[in-house]
Amino acid sequence: MTLSAAEWLSLPPLSQRFYAQGAAEVAPMLLGKALVHVVRGQPIVGEIVEVEAYLGLGDPASHTYRGLTPRTRPMFEAGGICYVYLSYGVNYCMNVVTGRKGDGEAVLLRALAPLHGIERMAKNRGVVLDERHATLRNVACGPGKLTKALGVDLRHNGSSFRDSPLRIVDFRKEVSHEVATSPRIGITKAVDLPLRFFVKDSRWLSR
DNA sequence: ACAATGATTGGCT
DNA sequence: GCCAATCATTGTC
């Protein structure tokens, strides 16, 4: 499936209602959707293939487990906005906030399949594309990599996914992939909950 | 005020 | 496979 820049820009954002559901419901439904970042009028686009749900109070792995802090304020807002944080002092990770105001739930975006603006993504990441595009696999296959590929950072913290420059759109007529689940990656608490969701057999996963 | 921690990545063995 | 980088946030004293 290949769309022009104008076509990517014309797709409507997902509804507020979609984002108002719980993170564990929204997470698998984000698979197969497209994340679009418009930079200087040009869309950079990737298909979401791997996510993790982080719940509110009751999920010790979630940033919101200990309640509202300055950093986690966006996660406690109503769903449909972006929560960005600095990971290990090195990488930015982006989340889709879900639920109602006060819930404190979000979905971490972990991997994208590059769809449009591929050269821009590779340049942002410092990846040299070979003719066969074999190195393309490495462009957005991790939470820190995908933010760098799309040019997302703290400026986007708290911004809406329902209008430019960041949005999530549906671009498929019908869902054709299978969803698989596993425990979440890189956490030390609540390690057994199956809250990682990914497109089965995708070549674009973080692992 | 201070020390520990971490939803990761890239480089090197 | 192992490990250093790097720093904002958070908990503790």
Side-chain angles (χ1 to χ4, degrees), chain A residues 83-138:
Chain A
Y83 165 54
V84 183
Y85 70 94
L86 182 61
S87 174
Y88 289 92
V90 179
N91 309 287
Y92 295 111
C93 294
M94 70 182 299
N95 294 256
V96 178
V97 176
T98 72
R100 303 283 187 175
K101 188 174 172 68
D103 288 351
E105 302 199 349
V107 178
L108 171 70
L109 303 184
R110 286 196 57 91
L112 304 176
L115 287 175
H116 190 91
I118 287 167
E119 296 190 345
R120 182 75 258 171
M121 286 195 212
K123 193 159 190 175
N124 287 348
R125 282 268 295 124
V127 167
V128 178
L129 291 179
D130 56 305
E131 229 161 79
R132 247 176 254 165
H133 280 195
T135 54
L136 193 56
R137 203 208 83 78
N138 190 39

Side-chain angles (χ1 to χ4, degrees), chain A residues 122-206:
Chain A
K123 193 159 190 175
N124 287 348
R125 282 268 295 124
V127 167
V128 178
L129 291 179
D130 56 305
E131 229 161 79
R132 247 176 254 165
H133 280 195
T135 54
L136 193 56
R137 203 208 83 78
N138 190 39
V139 164
C141 59
K145 296 176 185 178
L146 74 87
T147 55
K148 197 166 181 191
L150 266 68
V152 169
D153 57 35
L154 250 24
R155 297 192 306 262
H156 305 274
N157 191 32
S159 74
S160 173
F161 280 112
R162 302 203 58 241
D163 55 69
S164 285
L166 256 192
R167 62 171 64 192
I168 298 175
V169 301
D170 202 347
F171 70 105
R172 292 193 182 286
K173 284 198 177 71
E174 50 190 277
V175 175
S176 59
H177 62 262
E178 257 186 82
V179 177
T181 65
S182 82
R184 294 171 289 185
I185 292 171
I187 58 170
T188 57
K189 298 160 199 161
V191 293
D192 291 334
L193 297 181
L195 292 177
R196 171 174 176 250
F197 303 85
F198 56 99
V199 174
K200 192 181 177 190
D201 300 324
S202 170
R203 71 176 283 230
W204 305 104
L205 304 175
S206 68

